Amino acid sequence: MTIPALPESPTPPMTKTSRRVLIAGAVVVALAAGGVAAYFSTDSRAKESRKAPKGPPAVPVTVATAAQETVPVRLLAIGNVEAYRTVALKARVDGQIVTVNFNEGDPVKKGDVLFRIDPRPYDAALRQAEANALRDRAARDQARSQERRYQELLAKNFISKEAYAQIRTNAETAEATAKASQAALENARLNLEYCTILSPLDGYVGKVFLQAGNLVKANDVNPLVVINQVKPIYVNFAVPEQNLPEVRKYQSADPLRVDVVQPDPGMARVSGRLIFIDNAVDPSTGTIRLRAGFENSEAALWPGQFVNVSVQLYEQPDAIVIPSQAVQSGPEGQYVYVIGSDMLAELRRIKVLRTDGEQAIVASGLVKGERVVTRGQLRLGPKTRVQIGKSAPEAS
């Protein structure tokens, strides 16, 4: 049996007000859904951030590269500078100083006039000595002539031998007197020359002990001035007796090079040669005394200075060299921090053979090309991540 279809009820027409309400509801639902989604998304990211721990920041450091090169093997010591020659200038005649022809501390040349002593008394003594010498020479000549005449008379038996002997004695006495007068004349000339005091060497004068106007005595206790020759110059120093065999060994082949390290890094080293090894070890100190000679053309070294001295024995090839500031000391010995390609710090035990100024020569533990930390070690530990700043210059 067929059921008849019900007739469709007609849809009431949507009014303008109803349409606005429907749109507003849809917007509210969309905003609510977006807020819920945003809340859950933010909460999820916060939970993830809380779950993932942050790593420590990289430590800034500076590094240097280990180099392999030939380095000198040196002995270090403290030396004392000594003048090549020192002259305490004294007067050789008595008198009054009339002029001083230099300023204290001036450089002087050999032969320069330094002092003048009043020459008038010695000039008068010279004239007197000349007159005495002329008188005695004349008497000598007269005695010689008379001796020759009496010798002829003796040959003819006109006089006795006793008479001739007396004349001959007179002639010899006159000869001796003339020689004495000549010696006195030379002495007077010397005394006059001594009134002008000359510099006996090239050097520098010190403090003047007697100024013009003072009376001076010959060979007085105190000098007039002291002159030091500083070009060339000596440096005396001592090394432990244990180093004596090495010093003698290498000195026998060729004079060892000696450098004076200036306190100012900007000043160049002054180089010289080892010229003297003492013939005995000082038993009170266990050291051997050495001396080096320096040209000192620029007068960089001055008598009385204490200086740092290094004696180069030989050169060591293929040595691993790093800056000495990279080396740290711990309970187990010396170590450095090595930075690998992964930018992580590695604590590396090393053995330092010796240090030479700002360089450390490594016996074991490093190879050429490895990077070592030179600044920032206090904040490092094993596997610490680092950030390399401006690198230090390579060891040289």
Side-chain angles (χ1 to χ4, degrees), residues 131-184:
N132 292 338
L134 288 174
R135 179 197 64 195
D136 292 338
R137 282 199 297 268
R140 178 201 62 190
D141 293 341
Q142 176 63 25
R144 282 178 180 176
S145 175
Q146 188 177 15
E147 190 267 337
R148 286 194 297 269
R149 289 196 303 269
Y150 272 74
Q151 188 177 20
E152 293 175 357
L153 294 175
L154 178 63
K156 296 177 181 179
N157 292 323
F158 289 164
I159 60 173
S160 65
K161 291 182 179 181
E162 290 77 7
Y164 172 74
Q166 182 61 46
I167 296 301
R168 182 176 180 181
T169 299
N170 293 341
E172 290 175 350
T173 301
E175 180 74 24
T177 303
K179 288 182 178 180
S181 297
Q182 185 64 31

Side-chain angles (χ1 to χ4, degrees), residues 246-264:
E246 283 186 314
V247 172
R248 294 188 62 196
K249 173 185 175 182
Y250 294 107
Q251 175 74 0
S252 63
D254 193 32
L256 295 178
R257 173 178 168 178
V258 180
D259 293 326
V260 169
V261 183
Q262 300 287 2
D264 184 359

